[in-house]
Amino acid sequence: MASSHSSSPVPQSNSSDAFFKKEMDATKHFRPVQSLPDVCPKEPTGDPSNLCDSPSLVVDQQRWTIYHSKVNLPAALNDPRLAKRESDFFTKTWGVDFVDTEVTPSFYLPQITKEHFALYQQEIAPREKVHERCKNICTPKDTFDRTLLHTHDKSRTDLEQVPKIFMKPDFALEDSLTFNTVLPWSHFSTAGGKGNRDAASSRLLQEKLSHYLDIVEVNIAHQISLRSEAFFHAMTSQHELQDYLRKTSQAVKLLREKISKIDKVVCEGSLRVLRLALTRNNCIKAYNKLKLMATVHQTQPTVQLLLSTSEFVGALDLIATTQEVLQQELQGIHSFRHLGSQLCELEKLIDKMMIAEFSTYARNDLNRPLEDDCQILEEERLVSLVFGLLKQRKLNFYEIYGDEMINTAKNIIKQCVVNTVSQIEEIDTEVVVKLADQMRMMNFPQWFDLLKNIFSKFTIFLKRIKATLNTIRSVVFLVLDKNQKNRDLEDTLQKNSAKESTVDSEVAYLTHEGMFISDAFGEGELPPAAADNTSQRNTSPNSEPCSSDSVSEPECTTDSSSSKEQTSSSVTPGGVEMMISDDMKLTDLELVRLANNIQELLYNASDICHDRSVKFLMARAKDGFLEKLNSNEFVTLSRLMEGFILDTEQICGRKSMSLRGALQSQANRFVNRFHEEKKTKLSLLLDNERWKQAEVPAEFQDLVDSVSDGRISLPEKKSAATEERKPAEFLIVEGQKYATVGTVLLLIRIILEYCQCVDNIPSITTDMLTRLSDLLKYFNSRSCQLVLGAGALQVVGLKTITTKNLALSSRCLQLIVHYIPIIRAHFEARLQPKQFSMLRHFDHITKDYHDHIAEISAKLVAIMDSLFDKLLSKYEVKAPVPSACFRNICKQMAKMHEAIYDLLPEEQTQMLFLRINASYKLHLKRQLAHLNVVNDGGPLNGLVTSDVAFYTGNLQALKGLNNLDLNMAEIWEQKR
């Protein structure tokens, strides 16, 4: 349908069949319809003439009407009142008979005319007028709804007759299954006599399809009729929309003309200024970019210059900065396409150069003359090398230093041996070629001086290593401290940024959205926050702000490069100031592990020195040289080795066990040899001892006196005054006189030598204690065999073992027992608490010695007991008085006293004679009982009393026995 600007008005219907009315004034608003109870479903509140039956976009937008239906134009133009189509595709196959023919009227149905309805119209006319009147007053609310619902139900019922296959969206007769379903060809067959039946089937199918088509067309036509009003209404409203569009186009054209004038007058000049400012800044950036390219172009010559002066750290920093500039600022520049790979190769070359340089430095540092100078060699050079190696993550550089330490330690010993051998004329280096053989030809003083020189060289060697490694560790700790400070600074910045996150919206817009504004305006014209942000983004710490009079260099460095070039100054313990950059990409764990490895390297240095010293000792000890040393020489050697061990422990802070173990092994051999020598010497002395009292030289008295002062040490060399002093008869020990034999004097000296070895070599304390215990036990057992066992009769050739020999042996044992507590205290002070159990050996020895002394005393009493038994068995009570028996007994008692009085103390002499007197009284009492002599005052009793008085007088007349209580009344039998 064509529409014009002036459309005809919508036809109005005055009949009762009209459902909608169209108001002439389209802009007039309608009031909403209100429902009334009982009388009418709906009643207008205003004038009935204002009631509009057409749909409203305001009122009815939520309510579905038939205007919401969609209708296509061909269906609207299809006239449903036309007869069926005269031909279709069925006529091509089924023939002309298929075309519909006119149906004749039925003879059984009457012809119905209007007169048949006249009576009905007369009856219904009054009702229709009442109905029309009520409808004019209030239109039923659900008239249209019921009609629509009825129509919809009828349409649904009709459409349900149509098979579902026709309603499918993918319905297509091209599909064989669909075609066979719609047209079942199995019903059509021309064979036999079925032709008439097939023709009837085809007519039935055509009628059915035509019926389906009629149903669909009727429903389509019905829907079109329901929407015809809205369709024509939309067509008549089109000219109003075109008027609106024309006015809008004119208004837009006018607005554009005004905006164009404003742009020329107000904006064009300002934008031109901004454009020129932006162009100027772009030119500045291009100029700075060219300067940056010129600077990058000079990187390789500058790196070569730095490498020529061993400035590895500076060269690496320059390479890192240049690579970052290439990746960020100069990325994509064709002339620099190979520079990155060249710098990488140059960086690898610098790695090799630094490792070679560090190896050379370690060699020069460790192989310089070993004097009393422990200063670090070229500390600045060392610090620079360590920083470069850390920067390149070459964390195993300390292994190079460790290898050089091993080689240098070997060379130190070799050089010391060569220098010493060259000064000894007795060694012919042409005949004896090997250094080990040359060293074995030295005597002890020469070899000792050589060892002392080696130890002094090693001490200086370790001090130098410690100073160098401390410097390296200080560099590592400075980097570690710098990392910690950087983390603390980042934490602080994050906290500050969190607090200052609320920024002014205008400044935020300028810095975020309007980046060209910050480039166009000078930094002085920006707000403070924006200016600060721009200056931090575009300038380095040394650059100046851009101004109109001078050209600055805000783009010479990138953000990351400028941050990497930020360094902090630190000072090493040696006073070397160095700059620590922020690009040390090492974790704290790696730095701590490296510091521990460097400290472990110092421990390894101590172990290396000790290992080389052990090999030197073992080379000299192959021919048993160390085992042949006397005690003084070995003590001197032990002191030297102990001093070196303590020095290395003080320098390195950790004990090295190799040299200490070698010293302990040699000490054990020395102890074995020393003990065998002393035991053999004691055995020879005992085998030649005649058990006679020996004179005590002055030196032995001085030795005993020194022990009495609380110190156990061997006396110094004899002085002239000591040689002039005469030997003494007794050994004075703490005011007591000890009569000794020469063997015991030498044994005391041997015991003190054991104690002196313990003082000089503390590591052999336990071994010496065991050996000394063995020596004391040997003396006790051997002396018992020789004296009590009468072994001296065959060994030495003594005629008999006298009481004087027995008393002298007892006194010697008592002297040794006197010194055992002193020896025990000496060893106890030098043992560990867990080793105190070994002191029980002295307790056992003391008990053995006391038992030996008691056996000697018992032997002396037994000698007199046998004498009493022999003499008193022949005793007869008769005159003269005193009898010969008692004279003989008193004579033997006097000889006994004479033999032991000068040897034993007075107390021991009294105790011994009390035991002898008890034995005498026992034998006398037995003899008197045998002779039936009783204490009855008779003549026999008087004779016995006179003999006893003679015995008592003679015994108490002996020296030291005058106060002895003899209690002679016990010889008589007690009367019961």
Side-chain angles (χ1 to χ4, degrees):
M1 294 182 182
S3 62
S4 60
H5 294 287
S6 58
S7 61
S8 60
V10 180
Q12 301 292 328
S13 176
N14 295 327
S15 65
S16 60
D17 296 331
F19 289 98
F20 300 99
K21 295 182 180 180
K22 173 71 177 177
E23 294 293 336
M24 297 303 295
D25 189 2
T27 60
K28 190 172 182 179
H29 298 281
F30 304 102
R31 297 179 182 178
V33 179
Q34 298 180 356
S35 61
L36 296 177
D38 301 332
V39 179
C40 298
K42 184 182 293 185
E43 182 178 353
T45 56
D47 187 4
S49 61
N50 294 332
L51 182 62
C52 179
D53 295 332
S54 62
S56 174
L57 295 177
V58 178
V59 179
D60 299 328
Q61 60 180 351
Q62 301 299 332
R63 177 167 162 262
W64 189 91
T65 64
I66 59 174
Y67 298 100
H68 291 86
S69 300
K70 302 296 187 296
V71 181
N72 55 353
L73 190 59
L77 298 178
N78 188 11
D79 188 1
R81 293 171 296 179
L82 294 178
K84 293 183 179 180
R85 284 168 291 189
E86 296 180 355
S87 62
D88 50 23
F89 66 93
F90 292 108
T91 60
K92 299 178 182 179
T93 304
W94 296 343
V96 184
D97 295 338
F98 183 77
V99 180
D100 294 339
T101 57
E102 184 179 357
V103 179
T104 59
S106 176
F107 297 100
Y108 302 99
L109 295 178
Q111 294 292 331
I112 303 301
T113 60
K114 291 183 179 181
E115 286 76 7
H116 290 85
F117 297 95
L119 181 61
Y120 173 76
Q121 289 179 352
Q122 292 176 3
E123 292 177 356
I124 205 68
R127 299 179 183 179
E128 183 181 5
K129 292 180 181 179
V130 175
H131 173 70
E132 289 295 333
R133 191 184 309 111
C134 293
K135 189 172 64 172
N136 292 332
I137 297 173
C138 179
T139 304
K141 179 173 66 173
D142 55 347
T143 301
F144 176 76
D145 295 337
R146 287 198 305 270
T147 304
L148 184 63
L149 181 61
H150 176 71
T151 306
H152 179 68
D153 293 340
K154 183 178 180 182
S155 300
R156 180 187 301 174
T157 304
D158 294 339
L159 288 175
E160 287 177 354
Q161 299 178 11
V162 181
K164 300 298 183 181
I165 191 172
F166 294 102
M167 304 301 179
K168 291 183 178 180
D170 56 347
F171 177 81
L173 288 176
E174 292 82 358
D175 186 5
S176 61
L177 295 177
T178 304
F179 187 83
N180 291 331
T181 303
V182 175
L183 301 176
W185 293 106
S186 60
H187 295 89
F188 308 110
S189 175
T190 57
K194 298 180 181 179
N196 296 330
R197 189 175 60 184
D198 291 342
S201 297
S202 63
R203 290 193 191 95
L204 180 61
L205 178 62
Q206 184 175 7
E207 290 178 359
K208 185 185 295 185
L209 293 178
S210 300
H211 178 65
Y212 294 159
L213 179 62
D214 292 341
I215 292 173
V216 173
E217 288 180 350
V218 167
N219 279 275
I220 291 174
H222 179 67
Q223 293 296 330
I224 292 173
S225 65
L226 294 178
R227 289 160 178 77
S228 59
E229 291 291 336
F231 176 75
F232 289 110
H233 174 69
M235 295 301 296
T236 55
S237 301
Q238 186 176 6
H239 70 281
E240 297 178 3
L241 180 61
Q242 291 180 353
D243 292 340
Y244 292 152
L245 291 176
R246 183 174 62 256
K247 293 178 180 179
T248 303
S249 176
Q250 293 176 356
V252 169
K253 182 178 180 181
L254 181 61
L255 180 60
R256 286 180 176 179
E257 292 177 354
K258 292 181 179 180
I259 291 175
S260 177
K261 293 179 181 179
I262 293 173
D263 178 58
K264 292 180 180 180
V265 175
V266 179
C267 302
E268 185 175 356
S270 301
L271 291 177
R272 185 170 179 273
V273 172
L274 293 175
R275 193 178 299 108
L276 292 175
L278 184 60
T279 303
R280 177 180 177 275
N281 273 352
N282 290 336
C283 293
I284 293 174
K285 291 179 181 179
Y287 170 72
N288 290 333
K289 191 75 70 176
L290 291 174
K291 289 183 65 178
L292 184 60
M293 292 175 63
T295 304
V296 170
H297 184 68
Q298 296 296 323
T299 298
Q300 288 180 320
T302 307
V303 169
Q304 297 293 340
L305 180 62
L306 292 174
L307 293 180
S308 63
T309 58
S310 299
E311 291 290 339
F312 299 106
V313 178
L316 290 173
D317 288 338
L318 181 58
I319 290 174
T321 303
T322 304
Q323 286 179 338
E324 192 163 357
V325 169
L326 288 174
Q327 293 175 1
Q328 295 185 3
E329 295 293 331
L330 302 180
Q331 187 177 8
I333 295 180
H334 187 71
S335 59
F336 288 151
R337 64 187 183 278
H338 300 303
L339 183 59
S341 59
Q342 293 173 358
L343 292 178
C344 291
E345 294 297 329
L346 190 59
E347 190 173 359
K348 294 179 182 179
L349 177 62
I350 292 176
D351 291 347
K352 297 179 181 179
M353 292 179 63
M354 284 193 300
I355 293 175
E357 185 73 13
F358 185 78
S359 179
T360 304
Y361 174 85
R363 193 178 304 110
N364 295 336
D365 178 51
L366 297 175
N367 292 324
R368 56 186 169 139
L370 293 170
E371 300 174 355
D372 294 335
D373 183 13
C374 298
Q375 296 294 328
I376 301 175
L377 178 66
E378 299 180 7
E379 183 176 2
E380 294 182 357
R381 177 186 174 192
L382 174 62
V383 171
S384 176
L385 284 172
V386 173
F387 266 110
L389 293 170
L390 292 178
K391 186 179 180 66
Q392 295 303 106
R393 301 180 63 84
K394 302 296 181 181
L395 303 182
N396 58 344
F397 64 90
Y398 62 90
E399 297 177 358
I400 301 174
Y401 200 83
D403 296 338
E404 290 296 332
M405 287 193 310
I406 297 174
N407 297 330
T408 305
K410 295 180 181 178
N411 294 333
I412 288 175
I413 294 181
K414 183 178 180 180
Q415 190 63 36
C416 289
V417 173
V418 170
N419 294 338
T420 304
V421 169
S422 63
Q423 297 175 2
I424 300 175
E425 298 178 355
E426 292 82 3
I427 300 176
D428 190 357
T429 56
E430 296 180 357
V431 178
V432 183
V433 180
K434 295 183 178 180
L435 285 177
D437 296 335
Q438 295 174 2
M439 179 187 64
R440 294 189 186 99
M441 297 180 66
M442 301 179 186
N443 55 29
F444 178 76
Q446 294 171 345
W447 180 81
F448 182 79
D449 292 338
L450 173 61
L451 181 62
K452 187 176 181 181
N453 185 27
I454 290 174
F455 283 166
S456 63
K457 298 293 185 183
F458 274 157
T459 303
I460 299 174
F461 176 66
L462 289 177
K463 289 181 180 179
R464 286 184 178 177
I465 292 175
K466 181 179 181 180
T468 302
L469 295 182
N470 284 342
T471 301
I472 297 176
R473 290 183 78 235
S474 65
V475 173
V476 175
F477 284 132
L478 286 174
V479 176
L480 183 63
D481 183 63
K482 180 63 178 177
N483 289 349
Q484 184 65 34
K485 290 181 179 179
N486 288 340
R487 285 197 301 271
D488 295 341
L489 181 60
E490 290 177 359
D491 294 340
T492 304
L493 292 177
Q494 289 179 358
K495 292 179 181 178
N496 293 337
S497 62
K499 292 179 181 179
E500 298 176 359
S501 60
T502 55
V503 187
D504 184 75
S505 59
E506 181 180 359
V507 175
Y509 175 77
L510 289 175
T511 56
H512 179 69
E513 297 293 340
M515 187 174 180
F516 68 94
I517 298 178
S518 62
D519 293 333
F521 288 101
E523 290 184 356
E525 300 176 11
L526 290 176
D532 293 341
N533 191 6
T534 307
S535 62
Q536 292 177 2
R537 190 176 65 249
N538 295 334
T539 62
S540 64
N542 298 326
S543 63
E544 297 178 356
C546 178
S547 62
S548 58
D549 298 332
S550 63
V551 178
S552 62
E553 300 180 3
E555 300 295 333
C556 288
T557 59
T558 62
D559 298 340
S560 57
S561 64
S562 63
S563 64
K564 286 200 173 205
E565 290 177 357
Q566 293 178 359
T567 57
S568 60
S569 176
S570 301
V571 180
T572 62
V576 178
E577 184 175 358
M578 50 191 173
M579 305 300 290
I580 304 177
S581 60
D582 291 341
D583 59 345
M584 291 288 185
K585 297 180 180 179
L586 296 173
T587 62
D588 292 350
L589 181 61
E590 291 175 335
L591 293 173
V592 172
R593 187 184 295 116
L594 178 59
N596 293 336
N597 291 335
I598 294 173
Q599 183 64 34
E600 191 68 26
L601 187 62
L602 180 60
Y603 301 151
N604 294 340
S606 176
D607 294 339
I608 290 170
C609 295
H610 282 225
D611 293 341
R612 302 312 304 179
S613 300
V614 169
K615 291 184 179 180
F616 178 77
L617 289 174
M618 294 299 103
R620 188 66 182 92
K622 282 186 177 180
D623 55 354
F625 172 76
L626 298 179
E627 298 178 3
K628 298 177 184 178
L629 299 178
N630 57 38
S631 60
N632 292 331
E633 291 174 344
F634 188 83
V635 166
T636 305
L637 175 62
S638 175
R639 286 180 177 177
L640 177 63
M641 296 174 67
E642 285 287 349
F644 175 69
I645 291 173
L646 293 177
D647 291 340
T648 55
E649 289 178 0
Q650 184 178 5
I651 294 172
C652 301
R654 191 179 72 173
K655 294 182 180 180
S656 296
M657 302 307 298
S658 57
L659 185 58
R660 193 182 296 275
L663 176 60
Q664 185 65 37
S665 176
Q666 293 299 326
N668 293 335
R669 296 179 183 177
F670 167 76
V671 169
N672 293 332
R673 183 184 57 79
F674 178 82
H675 178 65
E676 292 299 329
E677 289 180 356
K678 299 305 178 184
K679 191 173 182 179
T680 303
K681 182 178 179 180
L682 179 61
S683 178
L684 293 175
L685 289 174
L686 288 173
D687 291 342
N688 294 310
E689 181 59 56
R690 302 189 66 84
W691 297 101
K692 292 183 179 180
Q693 183 179 0
E695 293 182 346
V696 180
E699 60 175 331
F700 284 96
Q701 185 61 53
D702 294 340
L703 179 63
V704 170
D705 293 340
S706 66
V707 175
S708 300
D709 294 338
R711 55 187 180 89
I712 298 179
S713 61
L714 295 175
E716 302 293 335
K717 294 183 179 180
K718 296 181 179 180
S719 62
T722 304
E723 293 178 354
E724 292 176 358
R725 292 166 55 188
K726 295 181 179 181
E729 186 178 0
F730 296 95
L731 183 67
I732 308 300
V733 179
E734 296 182 0
Q736 292 188 12
K737 294 181 179 180
Y738 285 88
T740 62
V741 295
T743 302
V744 174
L745 292 177
L746 293 175
L747 176 60
I748 292 175
R749 184 179 180 88
I750 290 173
I751 292 173
L752 296 181
E753 288 179 356
Y754 274 82
C755 296
Q756 187 67 34
C757 286
V758 170
D759 288 339
N760 296 330
I761 312 174
S763 60
I764 62 175
T765 302
T766 55
D767 291 337
M768 277 296 183
L769 189 150
T770 306
R771 301 300 192 280
L772 181 56
S773 301
D774 180 68
L775 185 70
L776 293 175
K777 290 179 181 178
Y778 176 77
F779 173 76
N780 184 40
S781 61
R782 186 60 178 162
S783 63
C784 182
Q785 294 172 3
L786 292 173
V787 180
L788 282 176
L793 298 179
Q794 291 81 18
V795 175
V796 185
L798 295 179
K799 294 180 180 181
T800 182
I801 301 298
T802 63
T803 56
K804 193 169 186 178
N805 297 137
L806 292 172
L808 186 60
S809 175
S810 176
R811 194 56 175 164
C812 290
L813 293 173
Q814 293 174 20
L815 179 60
I816 301 301
V817 170
H818 173 78
Y819 281 106
I820 287 179
I822 300 175
I823 299 170
R824 176 192 173 101
H826 181 80
F827 277 89
E828 185 177 4
R830 286 151 183 81
L831 287 175
Q832 300 294 332
K834 61 182 180 181
Q835 299 172 340
F836 284 167
S837 60
M838 300 184 66
L839 297 175
R840 68 180 184 276
H841 294 295
F842 292 109
D843 299 334
H844 297 160
I845 293 171
T846 303
K847 182 178 181 301
D848 294 340
Y849 271 68
H850 282 301
D851 293 342
H852 191 184
I853 294 171
E855 290 178 2
I856 293 175
S857 299
K859 183 65 175 178
L860 292 173
V861 174
I863 291 173
M864 295 305 295
D865 184 77
S866 63
L867 179 65
F868 292 150
D869 185 31
K870 179 181 180 181
L871 294 176
L872 290 176
S873 63
K874 300 177 181 180
Y875 173 63
E876 295 180 357
V877 183
K878 64 181 180 177
V881 177
S883 63
C885 177
F886 273 78
R887 286 193 188 99
N888 196 6
I889 289 174
C890 290
K891 182 179 178 181
Q892 294 299 328
M893 294 284 280
K895 287 182 179 179
M896 171 70 74
H897 181 269
E898 183 181 1
I900 68 174
Y901 181 76
D902 293 334
L903 301 179
L904 298 177
E906 185 175 345
E907 295 80 7
Q908 294 183 18
T909 304
Q910 291 177 357
M911 292 299 298
L912 180 61
F913 273 90
L914 283 176
R915 294 176 62 185
I916 294 173
N917 182 60
S919 176
Y920 163 75
K921 290 188 291 183
L922 181 62
H923 286 282
L924 180 59
K925 182 178 180 180
R926 187 182 302 123
Q927 184 64 23
L928 291 176
H930 176 70
L931 297 174
N932 293 323
V933 178
V934 295
N935 189 12
D936 55 359
L940 296 178
N941 186 358
L943 292 175
V944 173
T945 303
S946 297
D947 287 337
V948 170
F950 175 76
Y951 166 79
T952 304
N954 278 278
L955 187 60
Q956 290 181 345
L958 296 176
K959 189 176 181 180
L961 302 180
N962 52 350
N963 296 325
L964 195 65
D965 185 10
L966 300 178
N967 193 10
M968 297 304 295
E970 294 180 355
I971 65 175
W972 304 107
E973 288 287 346
Q974 300 293 330
K975 294 180 180 181
R976 297 179 180 178

